[in-house]
Amino acid sequence: MDHEADAYRTDLMTITRFVLNEQSKYPESRGDFTILLSNIVLGCKFVCSAVNKAGLAKLIGLAGETNIQGEEQKKLDVLSNDVFVKALVSSGRTSVLVSEEDEEATFVESSKRGKYCVVFDPLDGSSNIDCGVSIGTIFGIYTMSHNDEPTTEDVLKPGNEMVAAGYCMYGSSCMLVLSTGTGVNGFTLDPSLGEFILTHPDIKIPKKGNIYSVNEGNAQNWDGPTTKYVEKCKFPKDGSPAKSLRYVGSMVADVHRTLLYGGIFLYPADKKSPNGKLRVLYEVFPMSFLMEQAGGQAFTGKKRALELVPEKIHERSPIFLGSYEDVEEIKALYAAED
Ligand code: AFP
């Protein structure tokens, strides 16, 4: 990278300009997606700013606590959810919203309805909030296929029907990674401009990586293929070097590193959680969509993750995602079990 030239770059590709450019390839497009996305971007900017000042503003801690003014405080994830729900409803472009924070789906009132359904986790990795470790927002977008009353069936669709997916990571910098089905692009928030600027065009995950990422504390409850795979990462018998272990415990941070550096992220099933921990609609699907768009793979232990058909909005699934060749290895171990 030419840092000197970069320091004086004047042609800034903002996320809005990027999406407008994409939209111009479809003459029939009326800008609905651009409007929806700018509301998602607004939510991300709000959460980023709230996360940055969480300690100062006393946003950390439990919802229901009262501050010194006697006002009830909202936990950061509750606050983030409120912001996203309001931004998405007021965009006038959504009909159904599914949030990790809300037990039931939100059906937008008819006067504000639009053609998109958004599934999202407003603040994933919330157990990392209080110690200042990277956390993120994850989202996936479907289109409505009819004009009748919206129902949960409109989001209980396989992940390969999503039209877009992305995440925003609130880390050492704030980064939004997006795919609209034609590759993956990363945008970094320039805090002085308040704009996400294209900094990582056309992200491709390395074909193979040297990092594995898993909560090894669950190892005693894993099944055979996962146990064998992790053993192979640590004690390879083919002369290749052992893989490094990295695990943040925030899916956005672990997946972001996997996307950029290569390797594999695993949240397998175990004896205690036969369906794993991560939620299909707003964790497994968006991240699997991004991985495939970047040239990687995502597998559930049984099938391609994006082919799952969820039956419930908060359903969970085991997930193995990352570099193409690393995921091939775990697929081979599961195939050998059958
Ligand atoms: P929290 O939001 O409760 O911190 O959970 C985060 C998460 O859903 C996902 O971001 C992580 O990958 C995963 O859980 C970590 O789970 P373990 O703590 O069981 O490893």
Side-chain angles (χ1 to χ4, degrees), residues 179-184 202-204 288-296:
S179 176
T180 53
T182 52
V184 180
D202 197 19
I203 298 173
K204 292 286 174 231
S288 300
F289 188 92
L290 291 164
M291 277 295 160
E292 286 200 3
Q293 286 293 321

Side-chain angles (χ1 to χ4, degrees), residues 1 15 17 26 81 170 192 208 217 240 274 314 316 320 335:
M1 190 192 278
I15 193 163
R17 188 173 144 203
Y26 306 93
N81 189 45
Y170 313 108
S192 59
K208 192 169 173 59
S240 58
H314 296 296
R316 300 170 198 264
F320 306 86

